[in-house]
Structures are given as structure tokens and as C-alpha cells.
Amino acid sequence: MKILLVEDDKDLNRSLQKLLKTQNYSVDPAFDGKEALAYSTNFDYDVIILDVMMPKMDGFEFITRLRATGNEVAVLMLTAKDALEDRIKGLDLGADDYLVKPFEFGELLARLRALLRRKERKVLNDTLKLGDITLSIAQKQVTKGKEVIPLTAREYEVLEYLARHRGQVLTREQIREHVWDFAYEGESNIIDVLIKNIRKKTGEATLIKTKRGLGYVIPEEK
């Protein structure tokens, strides 16, 4: 899952980035509303974690402008402003959830998973089903029958991203942008290598189809 983390407190921003990356989320940081608006215009995110009190453009103005563009990305407001009128204002302007600081990291993760469930109705009880293969979103674990498939963190993220977009051909660039953050510079064939490993480890050579010259897709069930 790809997250835009908008928080002007640099120490908190770095701490949250570090914690989210331990859960294998791809995270792009932004430190004010204008920077966040530029990122959200140019990249496709699953969730935006949004501070309210920021320089240049606060969170309320940011989400107003974001929604005016038709962008429906899930937004979780994360702020010390705990007054009822602030929570109502944030939700009325288009936020999907509102978490008051200080907070427990486990609660933040649970709310992120809940936002994804609302966005994608194919995700039920934190699981994704691909035939007899099951992805546990919370545990980031893949099983086939009763057997655990030992995917690496990156292999898991590629498989989950393809599974969430079942039936949709995804380019190598789209997959790379969702699995790594903006600053990543790696081997050009890394996606092909990860797909090959997933096919081998799951024993499902046809689970992920190659669309020559386009990318990869997990076909819809017939």
C-alpha cells in the first residue's frame, strides 16, 4: 500500500515513516499542504495521512482543494485539534477518518486497514482470496491451503497490489511506485524478478499473467 504522509513536525514525520515502513508500506513524506497537493496530483496513493496545522496550507484547505479535483483517495486526518467542531469540519470537508494525537501506533494501523476495506469491497475480514491462495492483510502472510508461502516483504506487497486490482493490467512503473517510495532507485528488472519468484513459491505459474509490452494482471475469476 502506498501512503502519502503529510506532517510538518519533522521528527514525528520521520518516526511515522520508520514505523510504517516496518509494516512494509511505501511512504512518501510531505511537510506542508502545498507540497502534499503537488504529490497527490502526480502520484496515485491508497491513503493520505494528513496533519491539520501546517504551514503554507493547512489540512482543511488541502482536503477542500483535493476533493475539488475529484480525487477520492482515502484521507485520515491526524491532529492535536480534538474539538468536536474540528472533527465535524474535517469529516464534512471530505476526510474519511479522524485520529487525535497522541495515539497508539496499533490503532493507526487498524484504521488504515479499515479505510482500505471501505475502499475495496473485495477485501473481507482482512483477507484476499485468489482461488485456494489466501492473503492475510493484517499479518501480511500468504497461505495455500494450510501451508504458509514464504514470500519476502516485497514479493508480498507486489502480490497484494495485483490482487487488490484484480482484472486490471498494471504496468511495471505502477507496481514499482506502489511497492517502493518516491526516492527508490533500483534494478530495472526488479519487478520481473519478484513476479517470477511469486509464481515459483506459490506453485501457480498462471496466477499472474504477463501482458507483453503492457505489464501484469491477475485475471478476474470466471
Side-chain angles (χ1 to χ4, degrees):
M1 184 169 71
K2 190 174 182 68
I3 295 173
L4 177 62
L5 173 60
V6 193
E7 169 60 63
D8 69 313
D9 184 318
K10 293 183 178 179
D11 289 337
L12 180 57
N13 196 313
R14 278 194 293 269
S15 296
L16 284 174
Q17 282 184 63
K18 187 176 181 180
L19 288 168
L20 290 166
K21 288 180 178 180
T22 65
Q23 303 300 308
N24 298 313
Y25 291 130
S26 171
V27 184
D28 287 337
F31 299 92
D32 62 64
K34 286 189 175 179
E35 186 180 27
L37 203 57
Y39 269 100
S40 59
T41 300
N42 290 291
F43 298 99
D44 183 24
Y45 292 99
D46 295 298
V47 176
I48 296 176
I49 298 175
L50 177 68
D51 188 24
V52 172
M53 301 302 291
M54 296 185 294
K56 299 183 181 177
M57 181 192 299
D58 68 20
F60 294 136
E61 184 178 354
F62 166 82
I63 197 167
T64 299
R65 293 195 182 191
L66 179 78
R67 295 306 190 210
T69 67
N71 193 323
E72 297 180 348
V73 61
V75 175
L76 169 60
M77 281 192 157
L78 191 66
T79 176
K81 292 176 72 68
D82 61 351
L84 176 61
E85 57 266 31
D86 290 321
R87 299 199 300 271
I88 292 173
K89 181 178 181 180
L91 294 169
D92 281 348
L93 287 174
D96 297 277
D97 199 0
Y98 199 108
L99 183 59
V100 176
K101 300 174 184 174
F103 58 89
E104 293 293 333
F105 187 61
E107 182 178 2
L108 173 63
L109 293 179
R111 287 174 184 259
L112 291 175
R113 292 194 294 270
L115 286 174
L116 283 176
R117 283 198 301 272
R118 291 177 210 161
K119 177 183 175 184
E120 301 171 23
R121 295 302 178 194
K122 66 181 72 173
V123 181
L124 299 173
N125 300 320
D126 277 338
T127 63
L128 280 165
K129 296 286 290 183
L130 299 170
D132 59 351
I133 293 176
T134 301
L135 283 73
S136 171
I137 307 300
Q139 296 177 318
K140 294 189 178 297
Q141 185 181 70
V142 178
T143 54
K144 185 176 183 180
K146 294 183 179 180
E147 179 186 359
V148 176
I149 307 297
L151 298 185
T152 66
R154 293 305 178 197
E155 290 163 358
Y156 173 84
E157 292 300 325
V158 169
L159 181 59
E160 182 185 317
Y161 182 51
L162 285 165
R164 286 184 183 278
H165 295 81
R166 192 166 189 173
Q168 178 182 344
V169 178
L170 299 172
T171 67
R172 290 170 177 79
E173 184 62 18
Q174 284 177 303
I175 297 170
R176 190 197 67 77
E177 284 185 0
H178 267 78
V179 175
W180 284 275
D181 57 41
F182 178 71
Y184 174 78
E185 293 182 6
E187 300 90 342
S188 60
N189 68 336
I190 186 65
I191 299 300
D192 302 312
V193 172
L194 293 174
I195 296 286
K196 179 181 178 182
N197 291 344
I198 293 168
R199 288 169 171 159
K200 182 177 180 181
K201 290 182 179 180
T202 59
E204 298 285 348
T206 59
L207 174 66
I208 302 171
K209 301 284 189 184
T210 302
K211 293 292 183 182
R212 193 172 299 279
L214 296 174
Y216 293 101
V217 60
I218 295 178
E220 294 279 10
E221 285 183 306
K222 295 180 180 177

